[in-house]
Amino acid sequence: MSMAYEEYMKQMVKPMREELVQAGFKELAASEDVEQFMENLEGTALVVVNSVCGCAAGLARPAATQAVLRSEKKPDHLVTVFAGQDKEATAKMREYFDGYEPSSPSMALLRGKEVVHFIHRHDIEDHSMEAIMGNLLAAFEANC
């Protein structure tokens, strides 16, 4: 891959990354970052597997950020990996989603290393932002 292409993609996805970071999510860009986070995880965590697709932009990211803002019960940690961009970090995170097919975008609510709620791409596409947010809020209520 050319350096020009890599730089173009880096700049193209920058606002997609920043949307979650500005909402309080910590970006895990390397597999080592994921491993360190997961090995030291205590409490609950919302993991957003970010993506460049339209359903990530119009549905997943807004639902995740709004659910966190509006919920009284929140996960202890908010993290994100970027599918298609930070491939090793995403692959490492998916190792912890035992029993769940890779999906991007997607969201996992963890209690420790255990997935207690998972939202696949098919739970995002063709659903309203409010429905996805409601799905997250119910998961927060039950698990946080």
Side-chain angles (χ1 to χ4, degrees), residues 58-68 107 128-130 132-134 136:
L59 298 170
R61 289 193 301 267
T65 59
Q66 289 302 305
V68 169
M107 298 177 227
S128 70
M129 193 272 294
E130 293 79 12
I132 301 160
M133 188 175 66
L136 281 170

Side-chain angles (χ1 to χ4, degrees), residues 33-89:
D33 299 337
V34 171
E35 195 169 297
Q36 182 179 15
F37 174 78
M38 291 300 293
E39 293 306 313
N40 295 301
L41 178 59
E42 292 183 13
T44 56
L46 175 62
V47 179
V48 175
V49 178
N50 202 354
S51 173
V52 298
C53 70
C55 63
L59 298 170
R61 289 193 301 267
T65 59
Q66 289 302 305
V68 169
L69 282 173
R70 296 181 187 189
S71 182
E72 289 187 27
K73 288 188 171 184
K74 302 177 191 322
D76 300 313
H77 307 277
L78 305 170
V79 296
T80 181
V81 293
F82 206 118
Q85 302 301 307
D86 301 326
K87 294 176 184 173
E88 293 83 13

Side-chain angles (χ1 to χ4, degrees), residues 9-136:
M9 288 306 297
K10 186 188 253 185
Q11 292 305 313
M12 187 64 121
V13 302
K14 188 176 180 183
M16 298 172 202
R17 293 177 182 276
E18 288 176 355
E19 185 175 354
L20 290 172
V21 171
Q22 289 174 353
F25 285 78
K26 179 180 180 184
E27 193 168 44
L28 305 176
S31 60
E32 296 81 14
D33 299 337
V34 171
E35 195 169 297
Q36 182 179 15
F37 174 78
M38 291 300 293
E39 293 306 313
N40 295 301
L41 178 59
E42 292 183 13
T44 56
L46 175 62
V47 179
V48 175
V49 178
N50 202 354
S51 173
V52 298
C53 70
C55 63
L59 298 170
R61 289 193 301 267
T65 59
Q66 289 302 305
V68 169
L69 282 173
R70 296 181 187 189
S71 182
E72 289 187 27
K73 288 188 171 184
K74 302 177 191 322
D76 300 313
H77 307 277
L78 305 170
V79 296
T80 181
V81 293
F82 206 118
Q85 302 301 307
D86 301 326
K87 294 176 184 173
E88 293 83 13
T90 303
K92 178 56 87 177
M93 184 59 79
R94 286 178 171 156
E95 290 177 14
Y96 293 95
F97 301 163
D98 190 38
Y100 295 93
E101 291 293 318
S103 176
S104 57
S106 62
M107 298 177 227
L109 184 60
L110 308 175
R111 183 179 295 122
K113 293 179 188 171
E114 178 188 0
V115 177
V116 294
H117 189 76
F118 197 87
I119 300 175
H120 289 270
R121 179 185 179 108
H122 63 79
D123 298 317
I124 295 168
E125 286 181 311
D126 300 323
H127 290 78
S128 70
M129 193 272 294
E130 293 79 12
I132 301 160
M133 188 175 66
N135 186 338
L136 281 170

